[in-house]
Amino acid sequence: MATQTRAMPGPFSGLSVKIIATIIVVILAVEVVIYLPSAANFRQSWLNDRLRVGTVAAHVLDAVPDAMNLPRTLTDRLLNSAGALAIVYRREGQSQLLALDNVELPREAVTVDMRQRDPATLIMGVLDTLLFGSNRTLRIVGEENGQPDRVIEVLMPEAPLRADLLVYSRNLFFLSLILAIITSAVLYVFVSRILIAPIRRLTANMVDFSEAPENPGLIMAPSDRQDEIGVMERGLATMETDLYSMLRQRRHLADLGLAVAKINHDLRNTLTSAQLLSDQVANVDDPKVQRLAPRLVQSIDKAIGFAQSVLDYGRQSATPPRPVPVDLHLLLDEAAFDAGLVGHPSIRWRNGVPDAVSISADPDQFARIFDNLFKNAREALEAANGKIEEPYVEVVFDETPDWLVLTVSDNGPGLPPRARENLFVAFEGSAKAGGTGLGLAIARELTEAHGGRLNYVDQPLGTRFDVTLPHAIRIA
Ligand SMILES: Nc1ncnc2c1ncn2[C@@H]1O[C@H](COP(=O)(O)OP(=O)(O)OP(=O)(O)O)[C@@H](O)[C@H]1O
Ligand SMILES: [Mg+2]
């Protein structure tokens, strides 16, 4: 448990930190987009204020009959209140100039025409002021009350505008930052209660359960939430319950299998003793005994064969193949011999594998694949009771750059429908009296253990199985 808790991310790592960081970045990014137009607005009204004060000053001038002889101190005060170096008022072709005393007017000034109000110009104005506005002089040009024939010009340094714009920007930045922090803090609490905490609960449960899936106490207890988290909790609980019962069932089956294997083993030994006795009984001269003994011997042989094949099936799935170089032609001949094909009175055996083909395979397991296929073919041909002309079993060898293909076919009666339905399914596939239904299941498992495939290929006549093996197992 301790290691799992350590494996979980802490409260400030993992999902929640990612969420908070994303929110702060997004809010700041949005603020940048909002900032430019609002700063443009601020600059515009700042300039308008100056222009308005300039207009008032111009009107004062206008109202005085002898403007040229106004006292200098009054003129200077008027100009200072507008923060201006000079004011020009143009009206009906006339123009009046009001300038600070003892100040030389700069030769160059940047014109800001308040009559141009398109957003791009306004935003460019902000950037222009912030970047280059520390030492320049502005010439603000505007109309009085929207009358085109009354134009006011105010000449003033740009530095105060820039300073005010900087203060405005700084305030806006801090305001956004505070907003971002508050928003993300609120969201953090919200998200961690609604999302992170349940997800952590789910994750912790998954980790715990995967460590000990046989412990039913670790199965998730879902809450009654109706959202996606609730669905996830219930899904996890169902999955864990299924897994738990599957594991339990498997353990029971494994125990059962072991018990069956033990019983089967002892049964085979008992049958072997019975076989010895029945062999002796067969030697008794009594004619009745002579008549019954062969059947007794046959039944016991069959029972031993059955016990043996069940034992083999259990054993072969446990041992992986141990490959060594094997001569394929020879190995198939031996398998055919074991299956009773070599020297058979009626069935012809044809081995189509060329002489010098060597592969890397487990000789016993590999031979059992063909042993089972050949035995099935022989049994089918024998069961046809001589109704088939020139019965044969053959293997044809073929190879592609990727595969070796061994086709095993016979000209027997073909697969009965019952066998087709459960082909390759252990204990299920048999369609003949005394068959265990293990032969093909074993053959397929052993082929797959060698990296290959065993397939039934439907044909109009006889039966055909293809053993397809990766070309890599060929060594000569
Ligand atoms: N070459 C074949 N021709 C006709 N039928 C076949 C052939 N091969 C297999 N079968 C059918 O497929 C069934 C399944 O074969 P499989 O080898 O799996 O089991 P089995 O031969 O019945 O029993 P076991 O091999 O375990 O003793 C057989 O019962 C048989 O009916
Ligand atoms: Mg068989």
Side-chain angles (χ1 to χ4, degrees), residues 43 108-112 128 136-140 155 158:
R43 178 173 176 269
E108 281 183 19
V110 178
T111 303
V112 181
D128 191 41
R136 296 189 303 198
T137 303
L138 285 185
R139 184 171 143 256
I140 312 165
L155 205 67
E158 196 175 6

Side-chain angles (χ1 to χ4, degrees), residues 120-402:
T121 314
L122 298 186
I123 286 173
M124 288 311 289
V126 171
L127 297 175
D128 191 41
T129 300
L130 285 176
L131 292 175
F132 311 111
S134 45
N135 272 319
R136 296 189 303 198
T137 303
L138 285 185
R139 184 171 143 256
I140 312 165
V141 183
E143 288 165 358
E144 187 197 347
N145 299 329
Q147 300 171 58
D149 56 342
R150 295 184 176 206
V151 174
I152 313 280
E153 288 183 27
V154 176
L155 205 67
M156 58 170 288
E158 196 175 6
L161 169 63
R162 184 168 176 272
D164 282 0
L165 206 54
L166 280 175
V167 171
Y168 175 80
S169 309
R170 200 186 54 209
N171 290 348
L172 200 70
F173 172 74
F174 283 122
L175 198 72
S176 315
L177 198 64
I178 290 168
L179 195 75
I181 289 171
I182 292 174
T183 315
S184 50
V186 170
L187 273 172
Y188 172 71
V189 173
F190 182 75
V191 165
S192 32
R193 280 186 59 117
I194 301 240
L195 223 62
I196 310 281
I199 287 181
R200 289 173 76 84
R201 205 165 78 90
L202 278 168
T203 320
N205 175 272
M206 260 189 255
V207 173
D208 288 353
F209 185 80
S210 67
E211 294 252 317
E214 71 289 347
N215 180 356
L218 294 178
I219 292 176
M220 177 94 197
S223 63
D224 51 4
R225 290 171 67 134
Q226 292 305 312
D227 55 9
E228 286 82 350
I229 298 267
V231 175
M232 228 150 88
E233 286 177 350
R234 286 189 288 280
L236 184 65
T238 315
M239 212 168 77
E240 287 176 349
T241 313
D242 289 353
L243 197 68
Y244 166 72
S245 49
M246 227 158 72
L247 277 175
R248 215 173 47 164
Q249 202 180 19
R250 260 184 83 154
R251 208 176 43 234
H252 288 181
L253 277 177
D255 292 348
L256 199 69
L258 201 67
V260 168
K262 280 179 188 158
I263 294 169
N264 202 35
H265 182 262
D266 293 349
L267 187 69
R268 190 193 52 178
N269 291 347
T270 319
L271 285 170
T272 314
S273 315
Q275 190 184 34
L276 289 175
L277 288 177
S278 67
D279 283 348
Q280 286 179 24
V281 169
N283 292 332
V284 175
D285 278 341
D286 186 329
K288 204 170 176 190
V289 171
Q290 284 296 318
R291 194 154 41 85
L292 292 177
R295 273 159 66 187
L296 178 67
V297 172
Q298 220 176 37
S299 313
I300 292 179
D301 282 352
K302 205 181 267 177
I304 292 177
F306 182 77
Q308 185 61 48
S309 56
V310 172
L311 275 181
D312 285 352
Y313 182 67
R315 203 176 307 130
Q316 62 95 13
S317 45
T319 45
R322 280 189 220 98
V324 292
V326 168
D327 183 308
L328 194 56
H329 184 95
L330 224 63
L331 181 123
L332 289 183
D333 269 349
E334 279 166 18
F337 182 82
D338 288 345
L341 284 179
V342 176
H344 193 279
S346 56
I347 302 170
R348 212 146 51 86
W349 155 241
R350 286 204 293 260
N351 185 346
V353 179
D355 270 341
V357 178
S358 252
I359 61 166
S360 163
D362 184 311
D364 289 339
Q365 294 192 3
F366 204 73
R368 283 184 67 199
I369 301 173
F370 294 93
D371 189 13
N372 275 301
L373 295 177
F374 295 163
K375 222 179 257 168
N376 282 346
R378 177 178 56 74
E379 285 165 1
L381 287 168
E382 285 173 347
N385 276 332
K387 278 183 218 136
I388 289 151
E389 274 180 42
E390 298 182 15
Y392 69 81
V393 178
E394 69 171 359
V395 174
V396 175
F397 176 82
D398 192 13
E399 63 183 322
T400 70
D402 295 329

Side-chain angles (χ1 to χ4, degrees), residues 25-42:
V25 168
V26 168
I27 289 184
L28 289 181
V30 169
E31 288 297 340
V32 168
V33 176
I34 293 173
Y35 164 74
L36 285 174
S38 78
N41 210 13
F42 173 84

Side-chain angles (χ1 to χ4, degrees), residues 372-373 376-377 379-380 410 413-416 419 423 429-432 434-441 463 465:
N372 275 301
L373 295 177
N376 282 346
E379 285 165 1
D410 61 65
L415 280 187
L423 214 57
S430 183
K432 61 189 169 217
T436 333
L438 279 177
L440 289 176
T463 309
F465 285 95

